[in-house]
Amino acid sequence: LIDEVTSINKDSANFGWAEFLWASIEKKSENIQEANKYLLLAKNKFEAQNNTEGKAWVKASKEKWLKPNTIQISTQAGHIRNYIVAQSPNPKYFASGGADFLIKIWDKMMGKEIATLNKHKGIITSLHYSPNGKYLVSASLDKTVTIWNAYNYTELISYTTDVPCYVAKFSPDSKHLYVAEDSTLNIINPFADTFALVKKIVLHHDVINDFEFAVNDADIIYSSSDNEMRKWNIKDSILLYTYTDFTKVKSIQLSKDGKFLSAVSKDSTIRVNDLFTATTVSKGKIFLEATSKSNSFPSMYASQSFSPDSKYLAYPVTKDSFRIVNLVDLYSRKYNIKLSSKSIIRHSLFSNDEMS
């Protein structure tokens, strides 16, 4: 209406306000590209008419949009240096583990701890729920892997590995357990009458740092300590692809739609590739407490997270701030968090209900 009135009346003094309002509307709808487009149109019209007020409003809006948001958070305390967080398929619950050898189960809605698991005698190195939500699997520097009942958090199965396991995950159908030991991937049926090793694959000649299941469930993507990242077909034990544009990768994440692969490297770099187009869409610095000389096991680098709808990526950028990248238009925004002086962000994770 404003655009129509100013055009009909040739009210050049008010040219640009319609575009400015559209920019504000698109910004509230999180359509960042459209918002920036309309704000630029408003700026150009204001400058053409030398509209001082309009130019000031555009400048103030731009500064506000770029300014990091400071958000209030609820805090749940109980660990000493926790850094692994696992989201249950039931978004009400999540698990955390850390350097105090403990695993804690939290009720997000109640805002409190509901269970503490103290089986392990070493730092927790891996923590994952099964896709069906029935189990939680943990690994530790004490060379044990334990499967927990995710309903009452009693121990179901525990076994000893030859070397510390850095990553243990259930298969997408929740029937098998995949455990990386050194350069070997063990595929186990933990629910057979006798604990059964289904398959053993030597994937590499160095330690496997992390792996993710591809969307077809037949392949895995993994990173190793010799700086290589590869894709394997598990059924036929065939190497499919080597990712040459990733180096020194300690932790990887794959979006649920299989389109985006993010990798965190030793040098605190996070890189995101679009696997459909084989291009790098984002690259930047990620904040890590881990260093190559201390806390060097891969889970210390697993600080990033894709949203369940695969549209966003979150990761820490300073000890008290994190960034969310919109993977549709690559617009990103930084958020500050008010933390206690001794606290830092070690992990970021979207909830499965997309509410937090």
Side-chain angles (χ1 to χ4, degrees):
L1 180 61
I2 293 173
D3 190 34
E4 185 177 350
V5 170
T6 54
S7 298
I8 293 174
N9 294 333
K10 297 182 179 180
D11 184 10
S12 59
N14 285 310
F15 285 175
W17 288 111
E19 288 77 9
F20 181 84
L21 288 175
W22 272 120
S24 301
I25 292 169
E26 295 293 352
K27 179 64 172 61
K28 287 184 178 180
S29 300
E30 295 296 327
N31 298 322
I32 306 303
Q33 275 189 326
E34 289 295 299
N36 286 328
K37 181 185 78 173
Y38 281 115
L39 196 65
L40 180 59
L41 289 172
K43 177 185 176 184
N44 291 338
K45 289 191 175 184
F46 289 146
E47 288 180 345
Q49 302 301 322
N50 196 24
N51 187 329
T52 304
E53 182 184 9
K55 289 189 291 183
W57 278 54
V58 168
K59 181 181 178 182
S61 295
K62 194 69 176 178
E63 290 176 351
K64 182 180 179 181
W65 292 3
L66 293 175
K67 185 179 179 181
N69 280 354
T70 298
I71 59 176
Q72 299 289 341
I73 61 170
S74 60
T75 302
Q76 298 173 355
H79 267 295
I80 300 174
R81 294 186 66 245
N82 61 300
Y83 51 83
I84 302 178
V85 181
Q87 172 72 57
S88 167
N90 180 343
K92 184 179 178 182
Y93 304 105
F94 64 93
S96 60
D100 54 8
F101 310 168
L102 300 176
I103 298 168
K104 291 182 179 288
I105 312 301
W106 306 87
D107 185 315
K108 186 178 72 174
M109 304 305 293
M110 296 173 64
K112 69 177 185 178
E113 170 191 339
I114 59 173
T116 296
L117 314 179
N118 56 9
K119 162 78 177 181
H120 290 294
K121 306 302 179 185
I123 293 173
I124 310 302
T125 56
S126 180
L127 193 63
H128 295 278
Y129 279 92
S130 62
N132 63 8
K134 292 183 178 180
Y135 311 105
L136 176 70
V137 59
S138 59
S140 167
L141 284 183
D142 64 7
K143 300 180 183 179
T144 61
V145 175
T146 302
I147 298 174
W148 308 86
N149 181 329
Y151 292 115
N152 56 17
Y153 292 98
T154 55
E155 178 187 340
L156 295 176
I157 301 166
S158 186
Y159 76 98
T160 303
T161 56
D162 294 329
V163 295
C165 167
Y166 289 152
V167 55
K169 297 180 181 180
F170 276 94
S171 58
D173 62 6
S174 300
K175 292 181 178 179
H176 294 95
L177 182 65
Y178 285 56
V179 179
E181 288 189 56
D182 202 25
S183 60
T184 302
L185 182 68
N186 294 321
I187 304 175
I188 299 163
N189 181 356
F191 307 116
D193 292 337
T194 57
F195 195 78
L197 178 64
V198 177
K199 197 168 190 176
K200 190 172 187 175
I201 308 172
V202 178
L203 292 180
H204 218 71
H205 48 75
D206 213 331
V207 177
I208 299 169
N209 285 331
D210 200 2
F211 66 80
E212 282 277 89
F213 293 99
V215 290
N216 62 5
D217 297 348
D219 305 330
I220 66 164
I221 300 171
Y222 75 91
S223 64
S224 66
S225 292
D226 66 352
N227 303 334
E228 290 190 346
M229 194 159 70
R230 296 178 173 181
K231 185 177 183 179
W232 269 70
N233 178 278
I234 297 301
K235 180 181 179 181
D236 300 321
S237 302
I238 297 173
L239 174 62
L240 299 176
Y241 188 76
T242 298
Y243 299 90
T244 57
D245 45 357
F246 291 92
T247 58
K248 302 180 181 179
V249 174
K250 298 286 279 186
S251 171
I252 60 176
Q253 293 278 337
L254 188 66
S255 61
K256 284 193 174 182
D257 62 3
K259 183 178 182 181
F260 298 106
L261 175 68
S262 73
V264 176
S265 302
K266 277 184 180 180
D267 60 0
S268 301
T269 297
I270 182 169
R271 182 174 186 150
V272 185
N273 271 28
D274 184 330
L275 298 184
F276 294 176
T277 61
T279 58
T280 299
V281 297
S282 180
K283 186 178 180 180
K285 286 295 183 179
I286 185 171
F287 174 78
L288 297 169
E289 185 192 25
T291 67
S292 59
K293 295 181 180 179
S294 64
N295 304 322
S296 59
F297 37 92
S299 54
M300 286 295 291
Y301 293 80
S303 300
Q304 79 279 32
S305 171
F306 286 104
S307 61
D309 61 7
S310 302
K311 292 181 179 179
Y312 302 94
L313 175 72
Y315 58 91
V317 288
T318 68
K319 68 177 184 177
D320 58 358
S321 67
F322 65 95
R323 185 174 299 280
I324 295 180
V325 181
N326 185 328
L327 296 170
V328 177
D329 58 18
L330 300 182
Y331 175 84
S332 69
R333 187 158 191 179
K334 181 180 174 183
Y335 295 84
N336 293 334
I337 300 176
K338 292 183 178 180
L339 299 174
S340 65
S341 59
K342 295 182 179 180
S343 297
I344 66 172
I345 300 175
R346 293 192 177 94
H347 192 96
S348 58
L349 190 66
F350 284 97
S351 63
N352 287 329
D353 58 5
E354 302 183 26
M355 298 299 291
S356 57

